[in-house]
Amino acid sequence: MIAPQRNQTAAPVPPVPVPEIVGRTPRRMSCFGVLLALIGLLALLNLAVVGVKVLAKPGISPSGQLLYATQFTNSADPDWTQYTSALSYQITGGALVVTADTPKQGAYSDLNYGFSDFDVRVVAGVTIGDDPYSEYGILFRWQNPNNYYMFRVRGDGAYHVARVINGKQDDMSAPHPTPLLALGTNHVNDLRVVGKGDQFQFYINGQLLTLCPKGNDKFSTWSGEQCVSNHQQTAQSISDSTFATGAIGLGVYENNSKVQVAFTNVVIYSP
């Protein structure tokens, strides 16, 4: 996947509004009153600074707090990487459209903010492509093009969770089919990833997914509906501490034929 590394900075925090005080008669302020006013001003400034820190480290935000949202209405939105070639990612028509037109290659766009704990949701639909092994999904805790996690869904209806370290990918939970995915073009799916500390959960169309962790085994392995790895125990979350924070991204992978996916309505909450 090809994309320039982005600075992962927090979204600016709007100034705290100061309510207008009406119905009082002006009077001369004593030295003590001036002191109280200065203390109040310092407290207000401190509140603004604390707000910035909350967004910079969303893991300490109250659960359910909205951290980011977009409907991709601004085609020149600087928050997202955009690029045009055989591997392209462009904001157009109210969507982030990501295209891969080179076999065995992927493309993605990353959001220019970093997150530690997060609950990210996106609506995604294939607009071009019917290869059962082409994929699309959500990148999270993205460091650079060679280090990140990704929740992937395939054209054959399977899902899996991958980790990429120094450009080498391995599955934290191997591909597994689900009837939850709406397949083919002109259908959309709601994808969701929740990350809190070193724990991650994954959803398709509102349903929590069952995973097959590697555990102490070399590979994550399914046999039908049975998880063979991890002492034959499935799980509803994956644990991994490789990346503690990073960007969110949206991407696709082409197997043998062109694939294009439109992503809309990105929302990120604190979990």
Side-chain angles (χ1 to χ4, degrees):
M1 294 186 177
I2 304 173
Q5 186 173 355
R6 306 292 301 280
N7 292 327
Q8 299 170 3
T9 56
V13 175
V16 179
V18 180
E20 179 182 1
I21 300 175
V22 296
R24 295 187 182 180
T25 303
R27 59 184 178 183
R28 183 174 299 174
M29 186 173 290
S30 65
C31 292
F32 181 69
V34 170
L35 179 61
L36 287 177
L38 288 173
I39 291 173
L41 179 59
L42 288 173
L44 194 60
L45 289 173
N46 183 62
L47 176 62
V49 171
V50 170
V52 171
K53 291 180 179 177
V54 165
L55 282 181
K57 299 181 179 179
I60 62 174
S61 302
S63 178
Q65 176 177 321
L66 179 63
L67 301 177
Y68 178 85
T70 183
Q71 294 182 319
F72 295 114
T73 56
N74 177 10
S75 62
D77 191 340
D79 288 348
W80 294 86
T81 310
Q82 297 195 62
Y83 183 72
T84 302
S85 70
L87 304 175
S88 70
Y89 22 100
Q90 291 288 307
I91 296 175
T92 179
L96 175 65
V97 179
V98 185
T99 306
D101 196 10
T102 303
K104 312 304 181 186
Q105 294 292 318
Y108 65 88
S109 175
D110 57 295
L111 176 61
N112 191 26
Y113 300 132
F115 298 90
S116 49
D117 293 352
F118 60 89
D119 178 350
V120 56
R121 311 170 192 197
V122 63
V123 178
V126 177
T127 55
I128 298 175
D130 58 4
D131 191 314
Y133 295 105
S134 288
E135 303 179 327
Y136 63 93
I138 301 174
L139 296 86
F140 54 101
R141 295 201 178 156
W142 183 92
Q143 311 295 304
N144 55 51
N146 294 314
N147 295 277
Y148 56 88
Y149 301 110
M150 187 171 181
F151 172 42
R152 300 169 174 256
V153 298
R154 294 195 319 207
D156 65 352
Y159 63 90
H160 63 123
V161 181
R163 177 184 61 188
V164 177
I165 301 177
N166 297 326
K168 183 178 180 181
Q169 176 179 308
D170 70 310
D171 278 324
M172 296 195 296
S173 184
H176 188 63
T178 176
L180 296 173
L181 272 173
L183 303 180
T185 57
N186 302 317
H187 293 86
V188 296
N189 291 285
D190 295 329
L191 304 183
R192 179 185 178 193
V193 179
V194 179
K196 191 168 185 178
D198 63 356
Q199 299 293 314
F200 305 98
Q201 292 183 310
F202 307 89
Y203 298 77
I204 293 176
N205 294 323
Q207 297 296 310
L208 179 63
L209 299 176
T210 300
L211 306 166
C212 181
K214 291 195 305 181
N216 294 323
D217 298 301
K218 187 174 182 180
F219 302 106
S220 164
T221 307
W222 287 97
S223 177
E225 292 301 312
Q226 177 66 49
C227 178
V228 178
S229 56
N230 194 43
H231 303 291
Q232 299 185 346
Q233 295 295 312
T234 58
Q236 292 189 318
S237 65
I238 285 285
S239 176
D240 189 82
S241 59
T242 305
F243 307 122
T245 188
I248 299 292
L250 303 171
V252 306
Y253 168 80
E254 176 188 340
N255 183 42
N256 286 319
S257 58
K258 181 178 180 179
V259 59
Q260 182 179 87
V261 176
F263 296 93
T264 60
N265 298 318
V266 176
V267 182
I268 305 175
Y269 296 97
S270 177

